[in-house]
Structure formats: C-alpha cells, structure tokens
Amino acid sequence: LFGWPMATQWLFPTANPPVTEIKGGKTEVVANPGADPAADSPAAIRDRKIVLAETPRVQIDTPTVRGSINLKGARIDDLVLVKHKETIAKDSAPIRHPSPSGTQDAYSAGFGWSGTGLTAPAADAVWTASGSKLTPTTPVKLTTSNGTQRFIIELSVDENYMFTVRQRVANLGEKPISVAGYGYLYRYGPGKDHDTWTIHAGPVAAYPGKVNYDVNYDTVTKDGEQKFDAAGGSWIGYTDIYWLTALVPDQGMNVALKFRPAGGTATQAQFEPAAARQVGPGQMVTQTSRFFAGAKDINLLDHYEEQGGIRQFGKAIDWGWFEVFEKPIFHYLHWLFRMIGNFGVPNIALTLTVRLLLFPIAQKQFASMASMRAL
C-alpha cells in the first residue's frame, strides 16, 4: 500500500513541470533550463526563423512532410509533419521533427565519408543543389568538390516519410582512394517522452535476430559509445512514443551501428560500413541508404518491412511480449474507430466481441457449474 506509489513513480515517471520565470509581468517558460547552449551551438538557443534564414536551403514539400535541407553541411534538419499537430486545438502547430542546430530541441540527419587518401567535405561546406525543391516527383542532387574528389548526395522522397539517399564519390585524382560512406543522426538532449518499463522511448537499434531497446540516453552520455556489428539487415535511430527517425543502410551491407556521446546531453546515432571500398583514378563509387522521419503508423511501418525490405521495421513500435495479441486487437479497434468515428464505442464493441467469441467456452463452464451445484 505504501510502496506502490514509489514503485509507480520509478517505473512510470511523470513529466517534470516546465521551469518558468517572470518577464515583463508575464510568466514565460524557460527553454532548456540549466543547459549549456554551447553544447549544441556556439551561439545561444535562438528563434527558429532566424536560424533557418542564415543558411541556403532546398525546400521539401510532400503530402506528409514539409521543411528544408540545409546546404551548409548537407543536413536534413528542418521537417514538420503536416498531418499531425502538437495538440487537438484547431490552430495548433504541426509536429516538428527534426529542428536545426542552435534552436530548441535540435535534431538533424546527415551523411558523410571517411577513408584513406580521401579529403572529405568539411562540416560547414556549402553544397550546390540541382534544384530548389525536393518533392516525390523531383529529386535533388547536392554536389561539392575539392579538386581531386567530387562528392554527390542524391536525395529522393516518397509520399510518406522515407528519403532515399545515394552517396557518390568520384576519384578525379591520379591515385586510388578508399571510401566508406556513413550516416548519422544528431539529437540534442533526450526527447520529451519518457522511457518506461512497458514502452521504450529513446535510442533503438535493429540487427539480425534482435531489436535492441536496452540503450537509453543516459547509457550513452554516461557510459560512452554503444556499438553493434550487423551482418546486413539492420537500422538505427531514435524512437519517441509516436514518432521515429531511423537510418537504414543497404540491407545487404555489413555495417557497424553506434550510439555515441556528442557533448553535453547530445547523442549521435550512426552507421558505417564494416569495410571501405577501393576507388581507382577516374572511377566512381555509389552507396545507397534510406532515412525515415515521421509518425509510427503501424500499416506504414509494416509496408516498409514487407514491401521495402527493411527487416524488423515494424518493431520500431515496442509491442512487448504480447505482440501476437496486441496487433490484431489494435487493427480491430482502428477499423471500428474508422467506421464509428469515436474511440469510446469501439472499446465497448471490443468487449462484446470478446464475450461473444468466448461464449461457447463460458456456456460449458456455466453448465459444469450447474452440474456441480446439483451434485
């Protein structure tokens, strides 16, 4: 009786109330109280519109996501999910996922190269874009060169939340080079959702035979790098209760998956090939991966797993031990909701359905009880 409240607070912690301060007679929420803004950016956390206006960008416009690609560093750091809002209010802002460095809850995805004899683009290199807007019908090519190597990132996007990324390196020099393309997700601080014993929110890595929900933000920032070697069929990312960002390397490629500290409360998820590829003079090498940033729609995740070949992608949702029962019940409830348009009535209908399915067993039980009573 006395221990249960303490146990529930430990297993299912409640969100801390926002820190506030009085400014001009008004109570305002303090952004990242106690945090060092320099851990994410040399400048303090600033207004998102100002930060977005500071760099050249390529617009992203699909039926489900809108935003922009930062040409300084070739990062995807500005996305909003147009079909999902922060609250149920009609004028609520859409879910932002991710956000540029130097702003509140910074979160970005990027792609790069390492290797011998290679001079990779600098983190602040400004890339040249082949177009001004990325849509499901108009891919965009980003290019930069150092004279001896030319680097190309070809981006395309479907009508949902999946980006396809083709990284290419052309050797313009006279000597062979080795190239390994990698992808990374940078996240400043833990997400708003709390990780609990019943459902995972935080770093997630999938590799043959397992989806790892055991790593959390503190594991990375306090214990250091967490590495998983995968012989193909893997992905890595961050999951919130309703949203997911994931890097999906070529499913046939052997890779190393890593979570590592990135300064302060920031962490980074990344993949890199187990072995570099040799590129001779005048040759080009291509590596393809995918990047998902969107809602954890069950049907969509299963579609990417079954039709897109991303192994265990449906397990981005932490179903727990009872997935075999939970998924059919969820689909049934979802179907009832679409038919009725109310969440309360489907729960009643589910109860009646279960009672009807179990009626033959229950009837035999009642008959047995009546016979026992007569005896």
Side-chain angles (χ1 to χ4, degrees), residues 211-244:
V211 178
N212 192 313
Y213 307 114
D214 298 331
V215 180
N216 55 44
Y217 296 105
D218 288 341
T219 308
V220 180
T221 56
K222 294 179 181 179
D223 299 340
E225 180 179 284
Q226 307 292 311
K227 181 179 178 181
F228 314 96
D229 292 322
S234 62
W235 54 269
I236 190 170
Y238 295 102
T239 177
D240 296 306
I241 300 300
Y242 302 109
W243 326 113
L244 171 71

PDB file of all heavy atoms in Angstrom, residues 211-244:
ATOM      1  N   VAL A 211      15.872  -6.589 -31.922  1.00  0.00           N
ATOM      2  CA  VAL A 211      15.676  -5.146 -31.904  1.00  0.00           C
ATOM      3  C   VAL A 211      16.013  -4.696 -30.494  1.00  0.00           C
ATOM      4  O   VAL A 211      15.379  -5.124 -29.525  1.00  0.00           O
ATOM      5  CB  VAL A 211      14.234  -4.749 -32.268  1.00  0.00           C
ATOM      6  CG1 VAL A 211      14.065  -3.238 -32.194  1.00  0.00           C
ATOM      7  CG2 VAL A 211      13.882  -5.243 -33.662  1.00  0.00           C
ATOM      8  N   ASN A 212      17.031  -3.871 -30.361  1.00  0.00           N
ATOM      9  CA  ASN A 212      17.578  -3.515 -29.052  1.00  0.00           C
ATOM     10  C   ASN A 212      16.910  -2.256 -28.503  1.00  0.00           C
ATOM     11  O   ASN A 212      17.083  -1.170 -29.033  1.00  0.00           O
ATOM     12  CB  ASN A 212      19.096  -3.300 -29.173  1.00  0.00           C
ATOM     13  CG  ASN A 212      19.787  -3.213 -27.830  1.00  0.00           C
ATOM     14  OD1 ASN A 212      19.344  -2.512 -26.941  1.00  0.00           O
ATOM     15  ND2 ASN A 212      20.881  -3.940 -27.699  1.00  0.00           N
ATOM     16  N   TYR A 213      16.136  -2.454 -27.414  1.00  0.00           N
ATOM     17  CA  TYR A 213      15.501  -1.339 -26.712  1.00  0.00           C
ATOM     18  C   TYR A 213      16.216  -1.026 -25.399  1.00  0.00           C
ATOM     19  O   TYR A 213      15.708  -0.268 -24.575  1.00  0.00           O
ATOM     20  CB  TYR A 213      14.044  -1.667 -26.384  1.00  0.00           C
ATOM     21  CG  TYR A 213      13.176  -2.113 -27.543  1.00  0.00           C
ATOM     22  CD1 TYR A 213      12.668  -3.400 -27.593  1.00  0.00           C
ATOM     23  CD2 TYR A 213      12.848  -1.240 -28.566  1.00  0.00           C
ATOM     24  CE1 TYR A 213      11.862  -3.817 -28.647  1.00  0.00           C
ATOM     25  CE2 TYR A 213      12.047  -1.643 -29.622  1.00  0.00           C
ATOM     26  CZ  TYR A 213      11.552  -2.938 -29.650  1.00  0.00           C
ATOM     27  OH  TYR A 213      10.749  -3.342 -30.694  1.00  0.00           O
ATOM     28  N   ASP A 214      17.376  -1.639 -25.173  1.00  0.00           N
ATOM     29  CA  ASP A 214      18.027  -1.558 -23.865  1.00  0.00           C
ATOM     30  C   ASP A 214      18.849  -0.286 -23.673  1.00  0.00           C
ATOM     31  O   ASP A 214      19.187   0.070 -22.543  1.00  0.00           O
ATOM     32  CB  ASP A 214      18.939  -2.778 -23.658  1.00  0.00           C
ATOM     33  CG  ASP A 214      18.164  -4.080 -23.673  1.00  0.00           C
ATOM     34  OD1 ASP A 214      16.980  -4.059 -23.285  1.00  0.00           O
ATOM     35  OD2 ASP A 214      18.735  -5.111 -24.081  1.00  0.00           O
ATOM     36  N   VAL A 215      19.209   0.380 -24.755  1.00  0.00           N
ATOM     37  CA  VAL A 215      20.033   1.591 -24.649  1.00  0.00           C
ATOM     38  C   VAL A 215      19.135   2.802 -24.440  1.00  0.00           C
ATOM     39  O   VAL A 215      18.114   2.960 -25.113  1.00  0.00           O
ATOM     40  CB  VAL A 215      20.886   1.787 -25.921  1.00  0.00           C
ATOM     41  CG1 VAL A 215      21.735   3.052 -25.810  1.00  0.00           C
ATOM     42  CG2 VAL A 215      21.771   0.575 -26.167  1.00  0.00           C
ATOM     43  N   ASN A 216      19.478   3.661 -23.495  1.00  0.00           N
ATOM     44  CA  ASN A 216      18.771   4.931 -23.321  1.00  0.00           C
ATOM     45  C   ASN A 216      19.778   6.080 -23.377  1.00  0.00           C
ATOM     46  O   ASN A 216      20.981   5.855 -23.528  1.00  0.00           O
ATOM     47  CB  ASN A 216      17.963   4.940 -22.016  1.00  0.00           C
ATOM     48  CG  ASN A 216      18.815   4.624 -20.795  1.00  0.00           C
ATOM     49  OD1 ASN A 216      19.921   5.143 -20.656  1.00  0.00           O
ATOM     50  ND2 ASN A 216      18.318   3.760 -19.919  1.00  0.00           N
ATOM     51  N   TYR A 217      19.290   7.307 -23.248  1.00  0.00           N
ATOM     52  CA  TYR A 217      20.174   8.466 -23.400  1.00  0.00           C
ATOM     53  C   TYR A 217      21.270   8.482 -22.339  1.00  0.00           C
ATOM     54  O   TYR A 217      22.433   8.780 -22.634  1.00  0.00           O
ATOM     55  CB  TYR A 217      19.354   9.753 -23.343  1.00  0.00           C
ATOM     56  CG  TYR A 217      18.372   9.893 -24.471  1.00  0.00           C
ATOM     57  CD1 TYR A 217      17.005   9.689 -24.271  1.00  0.00           C
ATOM     58  CD2 TYR A 217      18.799  10.205 -25.760  1.00  0.00           C
ATOM     59  CE1 TYR A 217      16.103   9.811 -25.310  1.00  0.00           C
ATOM     60  CE2 TYR A 217      17.903  10.322 -26.811  1.00  0.00           C
ATOM     61  CZ  TYR A 217      16.553  10.117 -26.581  1.00  0.00           C
ATOM     62  OH  TYR A 217      15.653  10.224 -27.616  1.00  0.00           O
ATOM     63  N   ASP A 218      20.923   8.141 -21.091  1.00  0.00           N
ATOM     64  CA  ASP A 218      21.924   8.132 -20.028  1.00  0.00           C
ATOM     65  C   ASP A 218      22.989   7.081 -20.273  1.00  0.00           C
ATOM     66  O   ASP A 218      24.159   7.285 -19.933  1.00  0.00           O
ATOM     67  CB  ASP A 218      21.247   7.873 -18.671  1.00  0.00           C
ATOM     68  CG  ASP A 218      20.450   9.074 -18.187  1.00  0.00           C
ATOM     69  OD1 ASP A 218      20.711  10.187 -18.689  1.00  0.00           O
ATOM     70  OD2 ASP A 218      19.578   8.900 -17.318  1.00  0.00           O
ATOM     71  N   THR A 219      22.607   5.943 -20.854  1.00  0.00           N
ATOM     72  CA  THR A 219      23.578   4.903 -21.165  1.00  0.00           C
ATOM     73  C   THR A 219      24.685   5.450 -22.058  1.00  0.00           C
ATOM     74  O   THR A 219      25.869   5.148 -21.863  1.00  0.00           O
ATOM     75  CB  THR A 219      22.901   3.715 -21.865  1.00  0.00           C
ATOM     76  OG1 THR A 219      21.781   3.270 -21.105  1.00  0.00           O
ATOM     77  CG2 THR A 219      23.876   2.561 -22.045  1.00  0.00           C
ATOM     78  N   VAL A 220      24.293   6.285 -23.020  1.00  0.00           N
ATOM     79  CA  VAL A 220      25.260   6.815 -23.984  1.00  0.00           C
ATOM     80  C   VAL A 220      26.079   7.941 -23.373  1.00  0.00           C
ATOM     81  O   VAL A 220      27.318   7.954 -23.472  1.00  0.00           O
ATOM     82  CB  VAL A 220      24.544   7.309 -25.257  1.00  0.00           C
ATOM     83  CG1 VAL A 220      25.549   7.852 -26.266  1.00  0.00           C
ATOM     84  CG2 VAL A 220      23.728   6.178 -25.879  1.00  0.00           C
ATOM     85  N   THR A 221      25.414   8.914 -22.734  1.00  0.00           N
ATOM     86  CA  THR A 221      26.135  10.084 -22.220  1.00  0.00           C
ATOM     87  C   THR A 221      27.039   9.743 -21.035  1.00  0.00           C
ATOM     88  O   THR A 221      28.068  10.378 -20.839  1.00  0.00           O
ATOM     89  CB  THR A 221      25.153  11.190 -21.818  1.00  0.00           C
ATOM     90  OG1 THR A 221      24.209  10.667 -20.857  1.00  0.00           O
ATOM     91  CG2 THR A 221      24.384  11.704 -23.026  1.00  0.00           C
ATOM     92  N   LYS A 222      26.667   8.729 -20.243  1.00  0.00           N
ATOM     93  CA  LYS A 222      27.453   8.391 -19.049  1.00  0.00           C
ATOM     94  C   LYS A 222      28.420   7.235 -19.285  1.00  0.00           C
ATOM     95  O   LYS A 222      29.552   7.258 -18.802  1.00  0.00           O
ATOM     96  CB  LYS A 222      26.512   8.049 -17.897  1.00  0.00           C
ATOM     97  CG  LYS A 222      25.671   9.240 -17.420  1.00  0.00           C
ATOM     98  CD  LYS A 222      24.740   8.834 -16.290  1.00  0.00           C
ATOM     99  CE  LYS A 222      23.896  10.024 -15.832  1.00  0.00           C
ATOM    100  NZ  LYS A 222      22.958   9.657 -14.730  1.00  0.00           N
ATOM    101  N   ASP A 223      27.978   6.210 -20.015  1.00  0.00           N
ATOM    102  CA  ASP A 223      28.811   5.014 -20.196  1.00  0.00           C
ATOM    103  C   ASP A 223      29.625   5.039 -21.476  1.00  0.00           C
ATOM    104  O   ASP A 223      30.483   4.183 -21.678  1.00  0.00           O
ATOM    105  CB  ASP A 223      27.934   3.757 -20.190  1.00  0.00           C
ATOM    106  CG  ASP A 223      27.191   3.577 -18.868  1.00  0.00           C
ATOM    107  OD1 ASP A 223      27.628   4.177 -17.874  1.00  0.00           O
ATOM    108  OD2 ASP A 223      26.190   2.854 -18.844  1.00  0.00           O
ATOM    109  N   GLY A 224      29.338   5.979 -22.378  1.00  0.00           N
ATOM    110  CA  GLY A 224      30.119   6.084 -23.601  1.00  0.00           C
ATOM    111  C   GLY A 224      29.519   5.317 -24.767  1.00  0.00           C
ATOM    112  O   GLY A 224      28.360   4.907 -24.735  1.00  0.00           O
ATOM    113  N   GLU A 225      30.306   5.125 -25.803  1.00  0.00           N
ATOM    114  CA  GLU A 225      29.835   4.555 -27.061  1.00  0.00           C
ATOM    115  C   GLU A 225      29.244   3.161 -26.889  1.00  0.00           C
ATOM    116  O   GLU A 225      29.778   2.325 -26.165  1.00  0.00           O
ATOM    117  CB  GLU A 225      30.995   4.501 -28.060  1.00  0.00           C
ATOM    118  CG  GLU A 225      30.639   3.923 -29.418  1.00  0.00           C
ATOM    119  CD  GLU A 225      31.809   3.923 -30.370  1.00  0.00           C
ATOM    120  OE1 GLU A 225      32.147   4.989 -30.900  1.00  0.00           O
ATOM    121  OE2 GLU A 225      32.412   2.843 -30.575  1.00  0.00           O
ATOM    122  N   GLN A 226      28.111   2.946 -27.569  1.00  0.00           N
ATOM    123  CA  GLN A 226      27.470   1.634 -27.626  1.00  0.00           C
ATOM    124  C   GLN A 226      27.520   1.179 -29.078  1.00  0.00           C
ATOM    125  O   GLN A 226      26.982   1.850 -29.958  1.00  0.00           O
ATOM    126  CB  GLN A 226      26.018   1.726 -27.153  1.00  0.00           C
ATOM    127  CG  GLN A 226      25.842   2.389 -25.792  1.00  0.00           C
ATOM    128  CD  GLN A 226      26.406   1.561 -24.659  1.00  0.00           C
ATOM    129  OE1 GLN A 226      26.130   0.372 -24.554  1.00  0.00           O
ATOM    130  NE2 GLN A 226      27.198   2.194 -23.797  1.00  0.00           N
ATOM    131  N   LYS A 227      28.156   0.030 -29.341  1.00  0.00           N
ATOM    132  CA  LYS A 227      28.396  -0.409 -30.719  1.00  0.00           C
ATOM    133  C   LYS A 227      27.795  -1.790 -30.953  1.00  0.00           C
ATOM    134  O   LYS A 227      27.856  -2.658 -30.082  1.00  0.00           O
ATOM    135  CB  LYS A 227      29.886  -0.435 -31.020  1.00  0.00           C
ATOM    136  CG  LYS A 227      30.241  -0.846 -32.441  1.00  0.00           C
ATOM    137  CD  LYS A 227      31.740  -0.830 -32.660  1.00  0.00           C
ATOM    138  CE  LYS A 227      32.110  -1.290 -34.062  1.00  0.00           C
ATOM    139  NZ  LYS A 227      33.577  -1.296 -34.287  1.00  0.00           N
ATOM    140  N   PHE A 228      27.198  -1.973 -32.139  1.00  0.00           N
ATOM    141  CA  PHE A 228      26.634  -3.257 -32.531  1.00  0.00           C
ATOM    142  C   PHE A 228      27.083  -3.558 -33.966  1.00  0.00           C
ATOM    143  O   PHE A 228      26.868  -2.750 -34.869  1.00  0.00           O
ATOM    144  CB  PHE A 228      25.098  -3.228 -32.468  1.00  0.00           C
ATOM    145  CG  PHE A 228      24.558  -2.618 -31.208  1.00  0.00           C
ATOM    146  CD1 PHE A 228      24.184  -1.271 -31.178  1.00  0.00           C
ATOM    147  CD2 PHE A 228      24.441  -3.368 -30.053  1.00  0.00           C
ATOM    148  CE1 PHE A 228      23.697  -0.698 -30.016  1.00  0.00           C
ATOM    149  CE2 PHE A 228      23.952  -2.805 -28.887  1.00  0.00           C
ATOM    150  CZ  PHE A 228      23.581  -1.469 -28.868  1.00  0.00           C
ATOM    151  N   ASP A 229      27.705  -4.705 -34.157  1.00  0.00           N
ATOM    152  CA  ASP A 229      28.109  -5.125 -35.505  1.00  0.00           C
ATOM    153  C   ASP A 229      26.973  -5.921 -36.129  1.00  0.00           C
ATOM    154  O   ASP A 229      26.410  -6.820 -35.496  1.00  0.00           O
ATOM    155  CB  ASP A 229      29.375  -5.978 -35.440  1.00  0.00           C
ATOM    156  CG  ASP A 229      30.580  -5.172 -34.996  1.00  0.00           C
ATOM    157  OD1 ASP A 229      30.676  -4.002 -35.412  1.00  0.00           O
ATOM    158  OD2 ASP A 229      31.403  -5.694 -34.225  1.00  0.00           O
ATOM    159  N   ALA A 230      26.607  -5.586 -37.363  1.00  0.00           N
ATOM    160  CA  ALA A 230      25.467  -6.220 -38.025  1.00  0.00           C
ATOM    161  C   ALA A 230      25.874  -6.768 -39.381  1.00  0.00           C
ATOM    162  O   ALA A 230      26.445  -6.055 -40.202  1.00  0.00           O
ATOM    163  CB  ALA A 230      24.335  -5.214 -38.189  1.00  0.00           C
ATOM    164  N   ALA A 231      25.569  -8.034 -39.593  1.00  0.00           N
ATOM    165  CA  ALA A 231      25.870  -8.670 -40.880  1.00  0.00           C
ATOM    166  C   ALA A 231      24.697  -8.489 -41.827  1.00  0.00           C
ATOM    167  O   ALA A 231      24.067  -9.446 -42.271  1.00  0.00           O
ATOM    168  CB  ALA A 231      26.169 -10.150 -40.669  1.00  0.00           C
ATOM    169  N   GLY A 232      24.369  -7.238 -42.139  1.00  0.00           N
ATOM    170  CA  GLY A 232      23.256  -6.943 -43.043  1.00  0.00           C
ATOM    171  C   GLY A 232      21.918  -6.956 -42.333  1.00  0.00           C
ATOM    172  O   GLY A 232      21.757  -7.551 -41.272  1.00  0.00           O
ATOM    173  N   GLY A 233      20.927  -6.295 -42.950  1.00  0.00           N
ATOM    174  CA  GLY A 233      19.577  -6.282 -42.400  1.00  0.00           C
ATOM    175  C   GLY A 233      19.459  -5.514 -41.103  1.00  0.00           C
ATOM    176  O   GLY A 233      18.925  -6.035 -40.119  1.00  0.00           O
ATOM    177  N   SER A 234      19.918  -4.256 -41.066  1.00  0.00           N
ATOM    178  CA  SER A 234      19.918  -3.503 -39.825  1.00  0.00           C
ATOM    179  C   SER A 234      19.406  -2.078 -40.047  1.00  0.00           C
ATOM    180  O   SER A 234      19.287  -1.604 -41.169  1.00  0.00           O
ATOM    181  CB  SER A 234      21.338  -3.452 -39.244  1.00  0.00           C
ATOM    182  OG  SER A 234      22.210  -2.781 -40.160  1.00  0.00           O
ATOM    183  N   TRP A 235      19.116  -1.397 -38.961  1.00  0.00           N
ATOM    184  CA  TRP A 235      18.809   0.035 -38.967  1.00  0.00           C
ATOM    185  C   TRP A 235      19.014   0.578 -37.564  1.00  0.00           C
ATOM    186  O   TRP A 235      19.100  -0.184 -36.584  1.00  0.00           O
ATOM    187  CB  TRP A 235      17.397   0.321 -39.487  1.00  0.00           C
ATOM    188  CG  TRP A 235      16.279  -0.425 -38.799  1.00  0.00           C
ATOM    189  CD1 TRP A 235      15.768  -1.637 -39.153  1.00  0.00           C
ATOM    190  CD2 TRP A 235      15.519   0.013 -37.665  1.00  0.00           C
ATOM    191  NE1 TRP A 235      14.748  -2.001 -38.315  1.00  0.00           N
ATOM    192  CE2 TRP A 235      14.572  -1.009 -37.394  1.00  0.00           C
ATOM    193  CE3 TRP A 235      15.537   1.146 -36.868  1.00  0.00           C
ATOM    194  CZ2 TRP A 235      13.664  -0.915 -36.331  1.00  0.00           C
ATOM    195  CZ3 TRP A 235      14.637   1.245 -35.814  1.00  0.00           C
ATOM    196  CH2 TRP A 235      13.710   0.221 -35.560  1.00  0.00           C
ATOM    197  N   ILE A 236      19.095   1.894 -37.440  1.00  0.00           N
ATOM    198  CA  ILE A 236      19.368   2.534 -36.153  1.00  0.00           C
ATOM    199  C   ILE A 236      18.686   3.890 -36.109  1.00  0.00           C
ATOM    200  O   ILE A 236      18.494   4.531 -37.151  1.00  0.00           O
ATOM    201  CB  ILE A 236      20.895   2.677 -35.931  1.00  0.00           C
ATOM    202  CG1 ILE A 236      21.210   3.116 -34.499  1.00  0.00           C
ATOM    203  CG2 ILE A 236      21.508   3.643 -36.959  1.00  0.00           C
ATOM    204  CD1 ILE A 236      22.700   3.046 -34.165  1.00  0.00           C
ATOM    205  N   GLY A 237      18.301   4.327 -34.917  1.00  0.00           N
ATOM    206  CA  GLY A 237      17.650   5.630 -34.822  1.00  0.00           C
ATOM    207  C   GLY A 237      17.181   5.956 -33.429  1.00  0.00           C
ATOM    208  O   GLY A 237      17.674   5.413 -32.428  1.00  0.00           O
ATOM    209  N   TYR A 238      16.222   6.885 -33.359  1.00  0.00           N
ATOM    210  CA  TYR A 238      15.619   7.323 -32.107  1.00  0.00           C
ATOM    211  C   TYR A 238      14.099   7.186 -32.226  1.00  0.00           C
ATOM    212  O   TYR A 238      13.507   7.608 -33.227  1.00  0.00           O
ATOM    213  CB  TYR A 238      15.961   8.777 -31.807  1.00  0.00           C
ATOM    214  CG  TYR A 238      17.429   9.040 -31.547  1.00  0.00           C
ATOM    215  CD1 TYR A 238      18.240   9.594 -32.530  1.00  0.00           C
ATOM    216  CD2 TYR A 238      18.005   8.735 -30.313  1.00  0.00           C
ATOM    217  CE1 TYR A 238      19.589   9.839 -32.298  1.00  0.00           C
ATOM    218  CE2 TYR A 238      19.348   8.990 -30.071  1.00  0.00           C
ATOM    219  CZ  TYR A 238      20.133   9.532 -31.057  1.00  0.00           C
ATOM    220  OH  TYR A 238      21.466   9.777 -30.825  1.00  0.00           O
ATOM    221  N   THR A 239      13.496   6.613 -31.218  1.00  0.00           N
ATOM    222  CA  THR A 239      12.050   6.477 -31.212  1.00  0.00           C
ATOM    223  C   THR A 239      11.447   7.249 -30.049  1.00  0.00           C
ATOM    224  O   THR A 239      11.957   7.211 -28.929  1.00  0.00           O
ATOM    225  CB  THR A 239      11.628   4.991 -31.130  1.00  0.00           C
ATOM    226  OG1 THR A 239      10.209   4.913 -31.067  1.00  0.00           O
ATOM    227  CG2 THR A 239      12.199   4.312 -29.898  1.00  0.00           C
ATOM    228  N   ASP A 240      10.397   7.990 -30.340  1.00  0.00           N
ATOM    229  CA  ASP A 240       9.549   8.571 -29.308  1.00  0.00           C
ATOM    230  C   ASP A 240       8.292   7.705 -29.249  1.00  0.00           C
ATOM    231  O   ASP A 240       8.178   6.702 -29.946  1.00  0.00           O
ATOM    232  CB  ASP A 240       9.216  10.028 -29.653  1.00  0.00           C
ATOM    233  CG  ASP A 240      10.467  10.898 -29.677  1.00  0.00           C
ATOM    234  OD1 ASP A 240      11.193  10.899 -28.679  1.00  0.00           O
ATOM    235  OD2 ASP A 240      10.716  11.544 -30.709  1.00  0.00           O
ATOM    236  N   ILE A 241       7.343   8.080 -28.418  1.00  0.00           N
ATOM    237  CA  ILE A 241       6.137   7.256 -28.309  1.00  0.00           C
ATOM    238  C   ILE A 241       5.416   7.178 -29.653  1.00  0.00           C
ATOM    239  O   ILE A 241       4.989   6.116 -30.084  1.00  0.00           O
ATOM    240  CB  ILE A 241       5.195   7.804 -27.230  1.00  0.00           C
ATOM    241  CG1 ILE A 241       5.903   7.824 -25.860  1.00  0.00           C
ATOM    242  CG2 ILE A 241       3.929   6.950 -27.150  1.00  0.00           C
ATOM    243  CD1 ILE A 241       6.362   6.473 -25.382  1.00  0.00           C
ATOM    244  N   TYR A 242       5.312   8.305 -30.361  1.00  0.00           N
ATOM    245  CA  TYR A 242       4.545   8.338 -31.607  1.00  0.00           C
ATOM    246  C   TYR A 242       5.395   8.597 -32.843  1.00  0.00           C
ATOM    247  O   TYR A 242       4.904   8.449 -33.958  1.00  0.00           O
ATOM    248  CB  TYR A 242       3.457   9.420 -31.530  1.00  0.00           C
ATOM    249  CG  TYR A 242       2.501   9.225 -30.384  1.00  0.00           C
ATOM    250  CD1 TYR A 242       2.518  10.080 -29.284  1.00  0.00           C
ATOM    251  CD2 TYR A 242       1.580   8.189 -30.390  1.00  0.00           C
ATOM    252  CE1 TYR A 242       1.642   9.906 -28.223  1.00  0.00           C
ATOM    253  CE2 TYR A 242       0.700   8.007 -29.342  1.00  0.00           C
ATOM    254  CZ  TYR A 242       0.732   8.876 -28.253  1.00  0.00           C
ATOM    255  OH  TYR A 242      -0.127   8.685 -27.215  1.00  0.00           O
ATOM    256  N   TRP A 243       6.663   9.007 -32.689  1.00  0.00           N
ATOM    257  CA  TRP A 243       7.475   9.431 -33.827  1.00  0.00           C
ATOM    258  C   TRP A 243       8.755   8.620 -33.892  1.00  0.00           C
ATOM    259  O   TRP A 243       9.244   8.095 -32.895  1.00  0.00           O
ATOM    260  CB  TRP A 243       7.795  10.937 -33.726  1.00  0.00           C
ATOM    261  CG  TRP A 243       6.695  11.725 -33.111  1.00  0.00           C
ATOM    262  CD1 TRP A 243       6.716  12.373 -31.899  1.00  0.00           C
ATOM    263  CD2 TRP A 243       5.377  11.937 -33.637  1.00  0.00           C
ATOM    264  NE1 TRP A 243       5.512  12.967 -31.661  1.00  0.00           N
ATOM    265  CE2 TRP A 243       4.658  12.709 -32.699  1.00  0.00           C
ATOM    266  CE3 TRP A 243       4.734  11.533 -34.807  1.00  0.00           C
ATOM    267  CZ2 TRP A 243       3.341  13.101 -32.894  1.00  0.00           C
ATOM    268  CZ3 TRP A 243       3.413  11.914 -35.003  1.00  0.00           C
ATOM    269  CH2 TRP A 243       2.735  12.697 -34.065  1.00  0.00           C
ATOM    270  N   LEU A 244       9.335   8.564 -35.084  1.00  0.00           N
ATOM    271  CA  LEU A 244      10.554   7.782 -35.296  1.00  0.00           C
ATOM    272  C   LEU A 244      11.455   8.471 -36.301  1.00  0.00           C
ATOM    273  O   LEU A 244      10.988   8.988 -37.318  1.00  0.00           O
ATOM    274  CB  LEU A 244      10.188   6.388 -35.824  1.00  0.00           C
ATOM    275  CG  LEU A 244      11.345   5.498 -36.303  1.00  0.00           C
ATOM    276  CD1 LEU A 244      12.180   5.016 -35.114  1.00  0.00           C
ATOM    277  CD2 LEU A 244      10.821   4.313 -37.105  1.00  0.00           C
TER     278      LEU A 244
END
